[in-house]
């Protein structure tokens, strides 16, 4: 389930493996503000502002009036999780901002820690980032854990939201979900394709330690909050919402998108029969053709 924003090692690995070639900077590497990644009119520029006391990395592209915030899954980054969207979403219609949550990708240091309520902290960081950029209203595209973060933002800060798109996300975690995550706890047993992007990005020690801590953090939601990650925030979402579900997703059972659709007024659920967890990486053009009309709609 989680849009591990992930939730499971499998989904995490699958999403990132597809975009290994774009991960070129080592974590913790000193880089300057506004480093240019390309020189064309569609340039993707990298920034490192201090937000809520920590250095947060984000990438920006496009010049449109509609601002999109892209939120990655567990241990994900702007480029491992959203490289196709940074390239293919309309640069004329949208201003696109893709952030690395604290302790992920190039938002290191600091190292990641995992307090109870880490999703809520990620949401606060994202809101603070957008406020620092004078973004008074925007839409969110959130995958896996990033979808959870997006639900929290939409529920807690409705005045900031235009539209919300989530896939691979869940408002609660069940014992069955935890069991799936535990099956993939030992990253040395992952396929080379699944684990290599994370090894490149983090190194084996950081990756294994934080993947295990991520599972433990989910278990604390189970133990301390009876599995409730963001149920109330989900029920408070007011903005137009699109929920996409890959029906071959091995980590997110149908109950999770069904719950979101039933509890967000007016939400639209699109079931994608052939898609898995990383549907936006596997089918970037189809994803674009599904999401852009929703973002552009007046309804």
């Amino acid at each position: 389930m989680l849009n591990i924003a992930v939730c499971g090692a499998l989904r995490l690995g699958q999403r990132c493996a597809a975009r290994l070639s774009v991960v070129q900077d080592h974590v913790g590497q000193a880089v300057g503000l506004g480093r240019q990644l390309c020189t064309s009119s569609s340039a993707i520029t990298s920034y490192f502002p201090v937000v809520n006391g920590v250095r947060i990395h984000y990438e920006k592209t496009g010049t449109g009036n509609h601002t999109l915030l892209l939120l990655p899954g567990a241990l994900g980054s702007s480029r491992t999780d959203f490289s196709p969207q940074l390239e293919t979403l309309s640069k004329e219609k949208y201003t696109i901002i893709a952030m690395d949550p604290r302790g992920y990708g190039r938002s290191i240091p600091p190292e990641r820690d995992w307090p109870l309520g880490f999703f809520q902290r990620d949401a606060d960081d994202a809101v603070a980032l957008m406020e620092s950029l004078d973004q008074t209203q925007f839409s969110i595209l959130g995958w896996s854990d990033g979808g959870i973060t997006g639900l929290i933002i939409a529920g807690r800060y409705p005045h900031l939201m235009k539209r919300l798109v989530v896939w691979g996300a869940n408002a609660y975690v069940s014992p069955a979900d935890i069991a799936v995550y535990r099956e993939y706890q030992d990253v040395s047993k992952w396929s080379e394709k699944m684990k290599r992007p994370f090894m490149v990005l983090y190194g084996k020690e950081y990756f294994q330690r934080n993947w295990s801590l991520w599972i433990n953090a989910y278990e604390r939601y189970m133990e301390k909050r009876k599995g409730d990650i963001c149920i109330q925030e989900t029920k408070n979402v007011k903005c137009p919402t699109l929920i996409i579900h890959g029906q071959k997703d091995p980590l997110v059972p149908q109950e999770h998108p069904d719950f979101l659709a039933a509890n967000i007024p007016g939400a639209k659920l699109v079931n994608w029969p052939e898609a898995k967890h990383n549907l936006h990486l596997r089918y970037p053009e189809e994803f674009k053709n599904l999401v852009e009309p929703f973002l552009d709609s007046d309804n």
Side-chain angles (χ1 to χ4, degrees):
M1 85 136 231
L2 182 110
N3 151 307
I4 217 200
V6 249
C7 280
L10 171 62
R11 77 188 189 194
L12 219 176
Q14 287 176 329
R15 74 189 182 194
C16 295
R19 296 296 155 196
L20 173 61
S21 63
V22 301
V23 181
Q24 298 175 342
D25 293 298
H26 293 293
V27 173
Q29 175 181 347
V31 286
L33 290 178
R35 185 176 62 85
Q36 203 72 12
L37 299 182
C38 59
T39 57
S40 71
S41 60
S42 61
I44 301 172
T45 309
S46 192
Y47 299 90
F48 295 84
V50 174
V51 174
N52 287 342
V54 299
R55 187 182 67 102
I56 295 293
H57 169 252
Y58 74 92
E59 292 186 293
K60 181 179 180 181
T61 188
T63 58
N65 292 327
H66 190 163
T67 298
L68 309 180
L69 174 61
L70 278 51
L71 297 172
L75 296 180
S77 67
S78 59
R79 286 308 184 94
T80 56
D81 287 20
F82 292 117
S83 185
Q85 285 67 53
L86 288 167
E87 297 294 340
T88 63
L89 289 175
S90 171
K91 308 298 179 67
E92 291 73 34
K93 292 189 294 185
Y94 311 122
T95 293
I96 303 165
I97 297 170
M99 67 176 288
D100 297 358
R102 65 168 72 194
Y104 288 178
R106 288 161 60 206
S107 291
I108 302 175
E111 289 198 6
R112 182 73 175 190
D113 62 353
W114 302 93
L116 182 65
F118 71 89
F119 280 117
Q120 285 71 17
R121 183 183 64 180
D122 286 346
D124 289 341
D125 285 348
V127 168
L129 172 64
M130 298 303 277
E131 289 179 342
S132 75
L133 301 177
D134 296 323
Q135 296 292 336
T136 58
Q137 198 172 45
F138 51 90
S139 294
I140 289 176
L141 277 65
W143 177 38
S144 195
D145 273 17
I148 293 175
T149 303
L151 290 166
I152 294 169
I153 294 171
R156 289 189 171 186
Y157 306 95
H159 63 287
L160 297 177
M161 295 298 301
K162 286 186 177 179
R163 291 176 175 264
L164 175 66
V165 182
V166 297
W167 62 107
N170 48 285
Y172 62 88
V173 61
S174 72
D177 297 324
I178 297 295
V180 171
Y181 310 155
R182 284 295 179 195
E183 291 179 8
Y184 298 98
Q185 182 167 352
D186 184 354
V187 300
S188 69
K189 296 180 180 179
W190 293 17
S191 70
E192 183 64 23
K193 181 179 180 181
M194 287 172 59
K195 67 185 178 184
R196 189 180 176 202
F198 295 101
M199 297 299 189
V200 171
L201 190 57
Y202 297 116
K204 181 178 180 180
E205 181 180 352
Y206 189 93
F207 175 37
Q208 178 65 81
R209 179 172 71 253
N210 281 281
W211 180 247
S212 296
L213 290 172
W214 176 85
I215 297 172
N216 294 343
Y218 262 88
E219 290 187 327
R220 284 195 294 277
Y221 273 103
M222 178 68 65
E223 296 164 0
K224 303 295 185 180
R225 297 180 44 149
K226 298 181 179 180
D228 180 357
I229 298 174
C230 62
I231 291 174
Q232 189 56 55
E233 289 96 333
T234 295
K235 293 179 179 180
N236 290 338
V237 174
K238 306 300 183 186
C239 65
T241 301
L242 174 63
I243 304 155
I244 308 171
H245 177 59
Q247 292 189 294
K248 291 186 177 181
D249 189 334
L251 296 153
V252 183
Q254 186 73 45
E255 68 178 272
H256 289 296
D258 286 348
F259 178 88
L260 298 180
N263 284 277
I264 300 174
K268 179 181 180 181
L269 171 60
V270 174
N271 286 312
W272 195 327
E274 298 304 315
K276 297 183 180 180
H277 189 69
N278 63 341
L279 56 90
H280 65 302
L281 298 179
R282 180 72 180 273
Y283 307 106
E285 288 298 325
E286 293 89 341
F287 179 82
K288 172 185 175 180
N289 292 337
L290 174 62
V291 168
E292 286 199 359
F294 170 76
L295 293 173
D296 300 342
S297 174
D298 293 329
N299 299 323

